[in-house]
Amino acid sequence: MTDPVTVWHRLAGSTVLLDGFHALKHAVRFGAEVPVAVTADRAAALALADELAPDVRDALGALLTEVPHETYASFVPRPHPTAVAALAVRPSRESHLARLAHMPRTTPVVVLDNPRNLGNAGAVIRLAAGFGATGVVTTGTVDPWHPTVVRGGAGLHFATAVERLEVPDLPPGPLFALDPEGDDIRGVKLPDDAVLAFGSERTGLSTELRARADHLLSLPMRPQVSSYNLATSVAMTLYHWSTGTGAPL
């Protein structure tokens, strides 16, 4: 059996860090290739699997190797309460781009235009996976596969297509961009092939993306409230899409 510490050090620079039990659970559930997984307490990790993920318990049992807590802690930016960490192979960019570009599309693509907060980006990916969105695309400099984003997404990057693109290269489909000056979303039916774009937490939509948008939409919000959290805005929009309604106001 290959020493997991040796494997970890060999692969750490070229793989995706799965930080915590839930990230590993979701990655395995959605077919990730996981060459190494460690825990400081194997019995506790498998007890969690029995309770929360019996469908992948056997797979986790085959993957997890117990190591000293000091070894585990040296693998992660900060120890997770579940004391579990793993490395996964990132899905190919080509396969993700093909999935994003495929038409007809039956679920939307979410676009985060130049996001700044890594945790927010992870929360959006978790939401998109929950709604069965085709994928999440980011523009700008943030790497959507950064370990902090993957941690915020609880490993659900493997349940949807996550990539970074330039605005001219966004997937096909009518682009609906969220903006305070847009039409009230409650009066609009969002199509299944929609591209749903959200501006950065601080500056909103970029000039480039605003010019590319086919429609500007706004979320209902009480006057004098500045804005919603990014993940909240995405959740409201995806829920509106999922209801299939565009009732007149």
Side-chain angles (χ1 to χ4, degrees):
M1 180 179 177
T2 306
D3 174 32
V5 176
T6 300
V7 175
W8 191 285
H9 288 303
R10 176 167 56 85
L11 297 178
S14 59
T15 49
V16 177
L17 174 63
L18 301 174
D19 191 359
F21 172 82
H22 299 291
L24 175 60
K25 168 194 72 177
H26 282 136
V28 170
R29 184 173 283 160
F30 288 99
E33 179 184 347
V34 180
V36 60
V38 300
T39 177
D41 189 338
R42 190 172 187 275
L46 293 181
L48 270 180
D50 286 332
E51 179 184 0
L52 302 176
D55 58 311
V56 294
R57 195 272 185 203
D58 290 347
L60 295 176
L63 285 170
L64 283 166
T65 301
E66 186 164 304
V67 297
H69 192 277
E70 295 75 15
T71 300
Y72 154 73
S74 72
F75 291 160
V76 294
R78 66 183 189 278
H80 191 277
T82 59
V84 170
L87 297 177
V89 176
R90 179 171 172 172
S92 76
R93 180 173 170 84
E94 292 74 18
S95 67
H96 276 181
L97 292 180
R99 192 190 312 177
L100 291 166
H102 178 75
M103 295 292 273
R105 192 168 58 234
T106 58
T107 60
V109 171
V110 173
V111 175
L112 303 183
D113 187 27
N114 199 25
R116 298 298 187 182
N117 185 288
L118 299 177
N120 278 346
V124 168
I125 290 166
R126 189 170 185 173
L127 276 166
F131 276 97
T134 297
V136 177
V137 171
T138 64
T139 70
T141 59
V142 165
D143 176 8
W145 286 84
H146 186 282
T148 303
V149 184
V150 177
R151 180 170 176 149
L156 283 161
H157 284 59
F158 294 91
T160 189
V162 178
E163 290 295 337
R164 178 169 49 183
L165 295 171
E166 300 297 325
V167 171
D169 301 322
L170 292 178
L175 198 158
F176 295 81
L178 276 291
D179 183 87
E181 302 303 317
D183 297 327
D184 191 316
I185 194 171
R186 292 173 292 180
V188 177
K189 186 179 187 300
L190 295 173
D192 292 341
D193 62 353
V195 178
L196 306 174
F198 301 82
S200 75
E201 298 89 340
R202 179 166 297 185
T203 59
L205 296 168
S206 66
T207 301
E208 187 178 16
L209 194 141
R210 183 187 293 271
R212 162 77 170 74
D214 299 300
H215 311 276
L216 294 180
L217 300 178
S218 64
L219 294 168
M221 185 166 57
R222 180 181 178 180
Q224 298 180 310
V225 175
S226 299
S227 64
Y228 293 120
N229 172 271
L230 176 60
T232 300
S233 297
V234 175
M236 293 171 71
T237 304
L238 285 174
Y239 179 77
H240 178 73
W241 160 74
S242 73
T243 64
T245 63
L249 299 179

